[in-house]
Amino acid sequence: MEKLKIAGGYPLKGTVRISGAKNSAVALIPATILAESPVTIEGLPDISDVHILKDLLQEIGGSATFSENEMTVDPSTMISMPLPNGKVKKLRASYYLMGAMLGRFKKAVIGLPGGCFLGPRPIDQHIKGFEALGAKVTNEQGAIYLRADELRGARIYLDVVSVGATINIMLAAVRAKGRTIIENAAKEPEIIDVATLLSNMGAKIKGAGTDVIRIDGVDELHGCRHTIIPDRIEAGTYMILAAAVGQGILIDNVIPLHLESLIAKLKEMGVPIESKDDQVFVGQAEGFKAVDIKTLVYPGFPTDLQQPLTSLLTQAEGSSVVTDTIYGARFKHIDELRRMNATIKVEGRSAIINGPTKLQGAKVKASDLRAGAALVIAGLLAEGVTEITGLEHIDRGYSHLVEKLNGLGATAWREKLTKEEQEQMKNA
Ligand code: EPU
């Protein structure tokens, strides 16, 4: 086990290249199960979630290789092997194995997913969708059992706008008989990316990116080559970091349209930003204005960026309110930011941040992926050295973080935890 150390207080500049989107990758890789011949995905991020999914595809009999950010999966030899325990529990997105295996084999056994703890994260809408398509779904000792004699297209209205349920129902429906209509579907760019891959594999999908998706089932899907979209949340994290400690940073390989809500908020705070083609330049602000943020489904402000932005808001003049309408308990980073001298209180679904505050380096723990990103930004802003544990969360979503930070002029490094620290972590 390791910790990340950051010597804060230094300005950064230069260019950082954004990796492929984690939240697309974790759906695109399971989607390959639906084909009968090899699928290649280019530009994948080098993160632990991608490696775990590759191992899971191998566990069900497929062959999968990953090198230079490209994965080739041959799904022809896969079988519907039950995956009740083990690696499926290490990531949230293992739930996409349910939709993909149900779609291809008409049966699957998948352990209930793990991932970041952000409060309750039910999957009732996924299950409602599978059942509407004709599957029998039961929960037996912490694993979901799905079986269907055949899948038949259906009209499914999602009671909650859910990225995961929208994608999972698409995965199950592309090889169902007849037409499926998903109403009140999520509109995130990752949904369009998955629909693009599935269409390249021969699926018939219309409306991805709108709130009504129509799918006409086909008997078979074939292999193809697909390039993943850039990670808008990684890009957003580096934009916030650039605003916090940058002296002019170019974020390369982004789709600025995916980041409009963040760009608008940073501009409101006084950060100069210019976007062009697939790049965003973040200039140096002369002080930050306090702003209020409410997270919403896309194209609203993403919940995944409220934690990193909170660190920047500690530098703003006045009082800012961050309200998370998606995950009401996504505030585990606040206690850690307080250890670093931030003045923040949590009231219900909102964090109230008073600034500006000079942050101080401290020993802190990343409790989830984006909490980790928030602490990295706080560490760069702080005086002295910050030590961050819980790196397994950060490694799930930020490809080559230390190299990218140091490439911008930061002083960040990983160190092994001492035996004493390992004991403390176990007992925490
Ligand atoms: N919800 C339900 N029932 C369901 C599904 C969702 O009530 O069946 C609720 C959730 O509890 C939540 C809301 O609906 O309040 C939205 O959840 P959604 O299903 O959209 O989230 P998800 O698919 O589980 C993905 C990302 C998250 C991101 C959210 C919201 C992946 C693997 N994860 O989660 O990413 O926060 O969408 O945009 O795509 C992250 O990257 O750090 C991360 C947590």
Side-chain angles (χ1 to χ4, degrees), residues 14-18 234 238 249-253 404-405 408:
T15 301
V16 61
R17 189 173 166 79
I18 299 307
E234 189 199 17
Y238 281 99
I249 292 185
L250 185 69
I251 322 281
D252 186 32
N253 190 36
K404 289 188 188 188
L405 292 177
L408 292 171

Side-chain angles (χ1 to χ4, degrees), residues 209-224:
T210 76
D211 56 9
V212 182
I213 301 178
R214 288 184 176 76
I215 301 158
D216 285 312
V218 295
D219 289 338
E220 215 177 280
L221 295 174
H222 50 74
C224 68

Side-chain angles (χ1 to χ4, degrees), residues 93-136:
S94 49
Y95 54 39
Y96 291 132
L97 295 167
M98 296 179 194
M101 285 170 76
L102 183 65
R104 165 118 181 247
F105 303 113
K106 313 291 175 266
K107 61 176 182 177
V109 177
I110 309 291
L112 276 167
C116 292
F117 180 77
L118 313 173
R121 297 179 77 181
I123 57 164
D124 56 301
Q125 298 302 306
H126 305 230
I127 289 169
K128 170 180 158 171
F130 297 145
E131 286 177 338
L133 295 172
K136 186 168 181 298

Side-chain angles (χ1 to χ4, degrees), residues 247-262:
Q247 286 187 337
I249 292 185
L250 185 69
I251 322 281
D252 186 32
N253 190 36
V254 286
I255 300 177
L257 181 70
H258 292 171
L259 285 151
E260 274 188 339
S261 58
L262 174 67

Side-chain angles (χ1 to χ4, degrees), residues 22-24 26-27 49 91-96 115-116 118-128 158-167 186 188 190 231-233 296-298 302-305 307 324-328 330 349 368-371 396-398:
K22 162 190 166 275
N23 288 344
S24 268
V26 296
D49 274 13
L91 74 164
R92 175 86 188 147
S94 49
Y95 54 39
Y96 291 132
C116 292
L118 313 173
R121 297 179 77 181
I123 57 164
D124 56 301
Q125 298 302 306
H126 305 230
I127 289 169
K128 170 180 158 171
L158 295 180
D159 304 315
V160 182
V161 181
S162 159
V163 176
T166 302
I167 293 179
E188 270 67 2
E190 292 75 21
D231 195 316
R232 64 194 167 96
I233 306 301
L296 291 169
V297 294
Y298 187 83
T303 168
D304 298 338
L305 288 176
Q307 292 161 294
D324 199 321
T325 71
I326 312 286
Y327 297 114
R330 204 171 194 174
R349 286 179 164 256
D368 59 80
L369 171 58
R370 309 302 170 187
R396 288 192 37 235
Y398 289 94

